[in-house]
Amino acid sequence: MKKIGAEFIGTFWLVFGGCGSAVLAAGFPELGIGFVGVSLAFGLTVLTMAYAVGHISGGHFNPAVSIGLWAAGRFPATGLLPYIAAQVLGGLAAGGVLYLIASGKAGFDVTAGFASNGFGDHSPGGYSLQAALIAEVVLTALFLIVILGATDRRAPAGFAPIAIGLCLTLIHLISIPVTNTSVNPARSTAVALYVGDWAVAQLWLFWLAPIVGAVLGAAIYRVLGGSEEH
């Protein structure tokens, strides 16, 4: 239960900090933090929570990461359902708190996006389904390679959260214009269910692509890391 609680809290912080920065601060008149600020916010949520509770649960905070770690032989199959449930519920709780805060401003319209992921007309840069799919698969695969490498027993101890947090920052710097950056089904679900409509209709991609990417990244690292990757 401590592990499940840690995953709930960690995912809550990721969604509240990352999506919260996008909803509340990214476009604030004159002093908005923009894409760079949102990218840093997502990276910092993972970095801080990995140090705070990573030693309790492993610090996944992402269903795709849990599945990728399982595919790499680093996580038991029996833990997948409880971890994924905790991650999705933690994200939804954060989305609810964020909604309560954001709706306190006159003129707030949740259907305008609420930091949801999308493609086509709902991509920040108007990118197609194909472009979104490729971006999410490739970036999630690379994210898993960084996670597996940074947490490998042969890697320098104590630095994994920094590498992982900076990797997530870089991923957002690349792909916010394409999909608003998912690489995390719990993060996508956390806001899409409050938006409804198109966000829910497109949510399938942001489960499918990160999971495929995570399994691909795990397979690549198992080849690179050999038999000593644990």
Side-chain angles (χ1 to χ4, degrees):
M1 289 306 296
K2 290 181 179 179
K3 292 180 179 181
I4 299 304
E7 286 297 304
F8 180 96
I9 293 295
T11 312
F12 180 99
W13 184 228
L14 184 151
V15 171
F16 187 68
C19 294
S21 70
V23 171
L24 304 175
F28 197 79
E30 298 180 9
L31 298 177
I33 62 175
F35 285 175
V36 174
V38 174
S39 299
L40 283 170
F42 272 101
L44 289 171
T45 61
V46 170
L47 188 155
T48 51
M49 270 297 165
Y51 276 122
V53 301
H55 58 284
I56 300 173
S57 68
H60 300 186
F61 318 141
N62 180 339
V65 169
S66 296
I67 292 170
L69 292 174
W70 163 76
R74 301 272 195 96
F75 189 68
T78 54
L80 284 177
L81 185 58
Y83 265 50
I84 291 171
Q87 292 155 359
V88 171
L89 290 174
L92 286 171
V97 172
L98 180 57
Y99 179 86
L100 291 174
I101 295 170
S103 61
K105 180 180 179 180
F108 169 70
D109 180 11
V110 71
T111 63
F114 199 52
S116 291
N117 302 114
F119 54 85
D121 291 339
H122 302 290
S123 157
Y127 287 84
S128 67
L129 167 60
Q130 179 181 338
L133 176 64
I134 293 170
E136 291 289 332
V137 169
V138 171
L139 290 171
T140 311
L142 291 168
F143 191 34
L144 259 292
I145 291 170
V146 170
I147 290 170
L148 291 166
T151 57
D152 193 303
R153 66 181 181 184
R154 296 164 292 177
F159 293 99
I162 298 173
I164 295 167
L166 289 175
C167 180
L168 190 60
T169 298
L170 176 58
I171 285 170
H172 280 77
L173 288 171
I174 295 168
S175 62
I176 286 178
V178 182
T179 62
N180 224 12
T181 310
S182 173
V183 302
N184 184 339
R187 169 260 187 270
S188 299
T189 304
V191 288
L193 294 189
Y194 292 93
V195 176
D197 193 25
W198 65 266
V200 173
Q202 295 191 352
L203 184 59
W204 65 269
L205 178 69
F206 303 105
W207 275 86
L208 176 64
I211 290 172
V212 170
V215 173
L216 177 62
I220 292 170
Y221 193 79
R222 293 194 80 155
V223 173
L224 295 176
S227 60
E228 298 179 338
E229 76 262 26
H230 297 290

